[in-house]
């Protein structure tokens, strides 16, 4: 099955006539505590393993979408934070290809206006919130009223991690076993953890040298250790879910940290190797380990970039922000949650 066929299956019997007013949707960014790294189907973004994330509350993307009817050119228009997105960038190409999946005639075009409060260049999987917000806004524009699980499948076709950006709190993306991916979707965990904090430590905002798509594919194809990843991932996922259920922060933090380090070790053993860490990343890791030895419950996770996301509890907020004064601190279960 290809992407278009998945979209057609999900939208069978649904209206393809847009409402008069734009469709609007907010989707939160998410940070994986157990990472998604490696696809079993490149076309449908089907993962090799399940993964688990925490959504970042009010940090995310809000998208308004409408059909363009009065333009001479049939071309999608993309605006991000009030600026027109340049047509040739990889992001706008990906988004346009994604929008094409939802069109019924070649004369259809969309205008998309996205406002995002995700720190630019933080490597915060902004594509996850971005694609999820577009899917949610299309659902609103056409009045489909699809369940969140169906939106999650559609979001995954844009970016794998988008499948986790339809819920607040802890979200698991179950890998599924079906070839068409209809069982590869997110669901929310019932647990809340109001004292949990995520700190975004921005060390370099330059665009990443290797995209996560390319890096994942290379890792799966060339790392001699990749076969260990699904085994470790299954064990980590069980441990993290148990830690969430028991509110055991030390287990949550240490499993999330080793999971991220294992993912980066796989990349180091790919050919040619991929190393997202920079000197400042390594220096910060050593500092975190030293503070931990001194008794502070502070852990990190790292995505496909040099920046770190720190995990800690509200009781240590003061100490952590003194040690890392530039940290942007997020309350995933805080008062700003709007879903
Ligand atoms: O969804 P993608 O293709 O942007 O990949 C996301 C990969 C990581 O952020 C590194 C891990 C994850 O699970 O979000």
């Amino acid at each position: 099955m290809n992407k278009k066929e998945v979209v057609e299956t999900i939208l069978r019997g649904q209206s393809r006539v847009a409402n008069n007013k734009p469709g609007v949707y907010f989707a939160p960014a998410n940070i994986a505590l157990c990472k998604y790294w490696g696809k079993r189907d490149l076309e449908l973004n089907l993962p090799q393993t399940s993964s688990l994330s925490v959504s970042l509350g009010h940090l995310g993307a809000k998208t308004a979408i409408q059909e363009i009817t009065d333009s001479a050119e049939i071309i999608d228009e993309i605006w991000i934070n009030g600026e027109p997105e340049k047509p040739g960038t990889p992001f706008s190409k990906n988004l346009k290809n994604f929008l094409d999946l939802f069109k019924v005639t070649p004369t259809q075009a969309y205008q998309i206006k996205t406002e995002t409060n995700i720190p630019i260049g933080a490597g915060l999987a902004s594509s996850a919130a971005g694609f999820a917000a577009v899917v949610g806004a299309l659902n609103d524009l056409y009045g489909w009223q699809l369940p969140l699980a169906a939106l999650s499948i559609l979001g995954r076709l844009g970016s794998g991690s988008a499948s986790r950006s339809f819920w607040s709190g802890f979200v698991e993306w179950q890998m599924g076993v079906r070839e068409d991916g209809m069982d590869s979707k997110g669901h929310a965990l019932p647990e809340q953890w109001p004292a949990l904090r995520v700190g975004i430590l921005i060390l370099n905002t330059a665009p990443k040298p290797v995209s996560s798509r390319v890096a994942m594919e290379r890792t799966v194809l060339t790392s001699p250790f990749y076969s260990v990843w699904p085994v470790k991932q299954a064990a980590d996922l069980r441990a993290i879910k148990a830690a969430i259920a028991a509110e055991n922060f030390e287990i949550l933090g240490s499993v999330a940290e080793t999971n991220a380090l294992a993912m980066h070790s796989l990349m180091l053993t790919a050919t040619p190797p991929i190393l997202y860490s920079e000197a400042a990343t390594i220096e910060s890791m050593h500092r975190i380990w030293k503070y931990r030895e001194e008794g502070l419950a502070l852990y990190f996770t790292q995505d496909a970039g040099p920046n770190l996301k720190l995990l800690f509890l509200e009781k240590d907020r003061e100490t952590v922000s003194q040690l890392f004064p530039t940290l942007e601190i997020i309350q995933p279960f805080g008062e700003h949650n709007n879903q």
Side-chain angles (χ1 to χ4, degrees):
M1 223 184 210
N2 63 30
K3 285 183 183 176
K4 185 85 183 165
E5 288 164 338
V6 172
V7 171
E8 289 305 322
T9 305
I10 291 179
L11 297 184
R12 193 168 295 141
Q14 293 281 5
S15 159
R16 309 305 282 267
V17 181
N19 290 326
N20 289 334
K21 61 177 183 39
V24 180
Y25 194 76
F26 169 82
N30 74 76
I31 298 287
L33 302 173
C34 266
K35 307 291 184 188
Y36 148 55
W37 199 255
K39 302 174 205 261
R40 68 174 193 281
D41 183 309
L42 298 176
E43 160 79 9
L44 300 181
N45 289 336
L46 294 177
Q48 293 269 2
T49 70
S50 299
S51 58
L52 188 146
S53 61
V54 63
S55 289
L56 294 187
H58 71 292
L59 274 198
K62 186 174 179 185
T63 290
I65 188 164
Q66 58 186 339
E67 287 193 3
I68 306 175
T69 47
D70 52 358
S71 160
E73 274 185 297
I74 304 160
I75 185 159
D76 298 316
E77 225 181 82
I78 301 168
W79 296 75
I80 296 174
N81 291 341
E83 301 277 337
E85 173 77 6
K86 290 181 202 78
T89 64
F91 175 73
S92 70
K93 276 195 204 151
N94 283 345
L95 188 52
K96 284 180 184 196
N97 290 339
F98 185 66
L99 290 172
D100 286 346
L101 299 172
F102 295 90
K103 295 178 185 168
V104 269
T105 68
T107 53
Q108 251 175 310
Y110 290 112
Q111 182 197 61
I112 291 202
K113 290 192 169 171
T114 290
E115 298 293 327
T116 172
N117 53 7
I118 300 172
I120 304 286
L124 253 181
S126 48
S127 67
F131 280 106
V134 166
V135 167
L138 284 166
N139 183 51
D140 187 36
L141 178 68
Y142 293 105
W144 294 328
Q145 299 188 337
L146 291 170
L148 291 177
L151 297 183
S152 169
I153 292 174
L154 294 175
R156 163 171 55 73
L157 302 177
S159 165
S161 51
S163 65
R164 300 186 307 242
S165 269
F166 292 92
W167 295 267
S168 57
F170 296 113
V171 180
E172 182 183 12
W173 169 15
Q174 273 168 338
M175 61 178 286
V177 291
R178 288 174 58 146
E179 263 179 42
D180 63 5
M182 291 302 181
D183 55 353
S184 183
K185 57 197 175 190
H187 72 102
L189 270 58
E191 290 90 349
Q192 304 275 310
W193 198 333
L196 187 68
R197 297 290 173 266
V198 177
I200 299 168
L201 186 63
I202 298 182
L203 301 165
N204 186 344
T205 57
K208 51 185 152 197
V210 187
S211 72
S212 51
R213 166 169 281 272
V214 169
M216 268 186 214
E217 200 177 341
R218 195 187 296 167
T219 311
V220 175
L221 291 176
T222 68
S223 168
F225 303 112
Y226 191 77
S227 58
V228 178
W229 176 247
V231 182
K232 174 166 170 62
Q233 181 74 346
D236 285 358
L237 205 55
R238 267 197 306 277
I240 291 237
K241 282 163 112 177
I244 291 170
E247 279 213 8
N248 185 326
F249 180 68
E250 277 68 27
I251 295 184
L252 178 100
S254 64
V255 176
E257 190 175 294
T258 63
N259 186 269
L261 288 169
M263 177 182 85
H264 286 276
S265 313
L266 293 177
M267 291 186 233
L268 260 185
T269 55
T271 309
I274 304 147
L275 177 57
Y276 285 114
S277 294
E278 294 177 6
T281 317
I282 307 290
E283 192 212 350
S284 303
M285 288 179 184
H286 282 292
R287 283 180 62 200
I288 291 164
W289 289 327
K290 177 172 149 292
Y291 300 141
R292 209 152 74 217
E293 264 178 35
E294 292 165 2
L296 184 63
L298 177 64
Y299 298 84
F300 66 83
T301 184
Q302 180 188 6
D303 291 305
N307 305 309
L308 296 181
K309 286 92 188 194
L310 274 42
L311 301 169
F312 54 97
L313 294 175
E314 170 62 24
K315 69 179 174 55
D316 293 319
R317 182 193 188 110
E318 234 3 86
T319 314
V320 174
S321 44
Q322 272 165 21
L323 295 169
F324 296 94
T326 60
L327 207 62
E328 168 146 7
I329 298 176
I330 316 293
Q331 303 187 188
F333 298 88
E335 57 202 342
H336 297 291
N337 274 1
N338 54 0
Q339 281 199 13

